[in-house]
Amino acid sequence: MFTHSLLYILHSLPTFLNMDSLSLFCTAALIAGVLYWFVCILGPAEQKGIRATDLSGGSISAEKVRDNYNSYWSFFRRPKEIETAEKVPDFVDTFYNLVTDIYEWGWGQSFHFSPSIPGKSHRDATRLHEEMAVDLIEAKPEHKILDVGCGVGGPMRAIAAHSRANVVGITINEYQVNRAKLHNKKAGLDALCEVVCGNFLEMPFADNSFDGAYSIEATCHAPKLEEVYGEIFRVLKPGGLYVSYEWVTTDKYNCDNAEHVAVIQGIERGNALPGLRSYDDIAESAKKVGFEVVKEKDLAKPPAQPWWSRLKMGRVAYWRNHILVTILAALGIAPKGTVDVHEMLFHTADHLTRGGETGIFSPMHMILCKKP
């Protein structure tokens, strides 16, 4: 209803120009107030990390956002290239340049899902999901912990605040490094949180240098899981624990079911994934590189509440945001390709929701491993 009112006001501007000065002033004030409310009150994400008027293409210049969006989709026309370690960094880096601001604006600083918890906000549910990870690896204040694929550092800050351990995050995307450092300083956690730009398939850390490690919905970007698991194994100290929340197809997935295939392909293409793995591949990959599997559980299974409920509840917010992004792009405030990226993420949300409803996909298949 509000959206229709906003569009009516914008389309009626020529008529307003014929009004007397007082009416024109009042109308202008109304429009300014409406736009302020739309952008600054409704616009910020749950954690208010970025505003709609600040949306960008990450490290990509504004005039090249649409070209990079087209380049991202071209990867899927050359599927063999996104199955190799050499091509993955560019593929994933391009994706996160395109989506980081939109994620942070429309979702928050933690780029992952969590089970809904009755009586708890999405923010609290997210924090508890993150704290569970660091509790599983038994992190202590004197420990040095690795965050594999840290994004803009939402989980890192929650984990550092909860455990008081020193957390070092690695992300392939330089723009995310800068955003994470900014947030760490604002939160007063920069003494506990360090962020490094690098490829988690070739991490710039010494052997046996971390007391523990975790990854939250991040290693799904690796072309081969054993490659990133092997690197984590290398940098962990003997006796160190590693926990990961993995994106997987479940035992309900049927590769001969056309709808199932379409849903999974939609998830892959909208999230820069070389290919989703089956749930029964995870432990096998961990064992191949030398890990002992301590525990394995799909955290999305009942009695857990649906993790996709937030996506369904956010459909109205999506349309509000999409209209806003379209207006900002038309005014030259947001890069024009931002509209394409936002629409891609909306369709991806539909695929994710359907994957959750049918039970064929889980973003939180938990595996806890130990380095002997």
Side-chain angles (χ1 to χ4, degrees):
M1 185 66 180
F2 170 76
T3 298
H4 293 310
S5 299
L6 175 64
L7 292 176
Y8 173 78
I9 292 172
L10 292 174
H11 284 303
S12 301
L13 278 175
T15 302
F16 294 150
L17 293 177
N18 294 322
M19 296 180 176
D20 58 51
S21 58
L22 179 60
S23 298
L24 186 60
F25 174 79
C26 293
T27 301
L30 175 62
I31 293 173
V34 167
L35 286 175
Y36 176 82
W37 180 76
F38 201 56
V39 174
C40 300
I41 305 302
L42 281 180
E46 183 177 336
Q47 298 187 38
K48 299 186 178 179
I50 198 166
R51 294 187 182 278
T53 50
D54 297 324
L55 292 177
S56 73
S59 299
I60 301 169
S61 60
E63 65 272 12
K64 293 184 178 179
V65 169
R66 178 164 284 164
D67 288 343
N68 276 263
Y69 171 76
N70 292 332
S71 175
Y72 170 75
W73 277 104
S74 74
F75 279 106
F76 292 102
R77 292 192 289 272
R78 304 188 302 274
K80 292 299 179 184
E81 292 190 10
I82 58 176
E83 294 174 2
T84 63
E86 294 77 17
K87 297 294 182 180
V88 164
D90 285 343
F91 175 57
V92 176
D93 187 40
T94 296
F95 175 76
Y96 280 111
N97 273 322
L98 293 170
V99 305
T100 290
D101 279 355
I102 294 177
Y103 275 3
E104 196 174 331
W105 172 55
W107 189 262
Q109 296 170 19
S110 294
F111 298 173
H112 65 82
F113 299 104
S114 60
S116 298
I117 301 176
K120 298 285 186 181
S121 67
H122 294 306
R123 185 174 182 176
D124 285 341
T126 297
R127 176 181 53 79
L128 291 170
H129 196 54
E130 294 162 349
E131 290 176 355
M132 181 175 67
V134 76
D135 288 342
L136 284 167
I137 61 174
E138 302 173 5
K140 297 178 174 59
E142 68 273 13
H143 281 176
K144 183 180 178 182
I145 304 298
L146 175 63
D147 181 333
V148 184
C150 65
V152 298
M156 171 192 298
R157 287 182 288 280
I159 282 169
H162 177 67
S163 68
R164 307 310 297 178
N166 292 282
V167 184
V168 179
I170 184 170
T171 171
I172 192 69
N173 186 263
E174 185 177 359
Y175 182 70
Q176 289 189 337
V177 171
N178 295 330
R179 293 295 300 170
K181 287 180 177 179
L182 177 67
H183 290 312
N184 292 345
K185 187 173 182 178
K186 284 183 177 179
L189 291 167
D190 47 328
L192 290 176
C193 298
E194 178 185 350
V195 192
V196 175
C197 188
N199 181 356
F200 62 28
L201 300 177
E202 299 174 343
M203 291 192 280
F205 306 125
D207 296 357
N208 308 315
S209 54
F210 289 92
D211 298 288
Y214 66 88
S215 55
I216 299 179
E217 302 182 28
T219 55
C220 49
H221 293 298
K224 295 180 180 177
L225 196 57
E226 51 266 35
E227 290 179 346
V228 62
Y229 277 7
E231 272 293 272
I232 296 165
F233 184 88
R234 177 183 68 79
V235 302
L236 266 183
K237 294 177 182 178
L241 292 169
Y242 164 61
V243 66
S244 185
Y245 297 163
E246 294 288 347
W247 281 30
V248 298
T249 56
T250 71
D251 55 354
K252 294 184 178 180
Y253 174 69
N254 179 0
C255 63
D256 294 322
N257 183 307
E259 183 194 6
H260 287 191
V261 172
V263 166
I264 296 304
Q265 286 182 346
I267 292 172
E268 292 169 347
R269 292 175 180 174
N271 290 281
L273 306 182
L276 273 169
R277 283 169 273 272
S278 172
Y279 74 100
D280 53 6
D281 293 333
I282 308 304
E284 189 64 29
S285 295
K287 292 174 184 175
K288 278 183 181 178
V289 304
F291 275 123
E292 294 176 356
V293 176
V294 178
K295 187 176 182 181
E296 187 176 16
K297 180 182 180 182
D298 187 351
L299 301 178
K301 287 186 175 180
Q305 297 296 305
W307 56 266
W308 62 91
S309 61
R310 186 178 175 190
L311 289 172
K312 295 186 74 172
M313 291 168 61
R315 290 186 69 85
V316 173
Y318 162 78
W319 286 112
R320 176 203 72 199
N321 289 355
H322 195 64
I323 291 170
L324 179 55
V325 168
T326 302
I327 293 171
L328 292 175
L331 295 174
I333 298 172
K336 293 189 183 302
T338 306
V339 178
D340 301 316
V341 177
H342 195 262
E343 186 172 359
M344 174 190 76
L345 294 178
F346 174 66
H347 292 305
T348 303
D350 279 344
H351 291 302
L352 287 163
T353 300
R354 190 61 183 149
E357 289 175 335
T358 57
I360 64 172
F361 165 75
S362 172
M364 53 193 72
H365 184 93
M366 185 277 291
I367 185 167
L368 178 63
C369 305
K370 182 176 182 179
K371 180 175 179 177

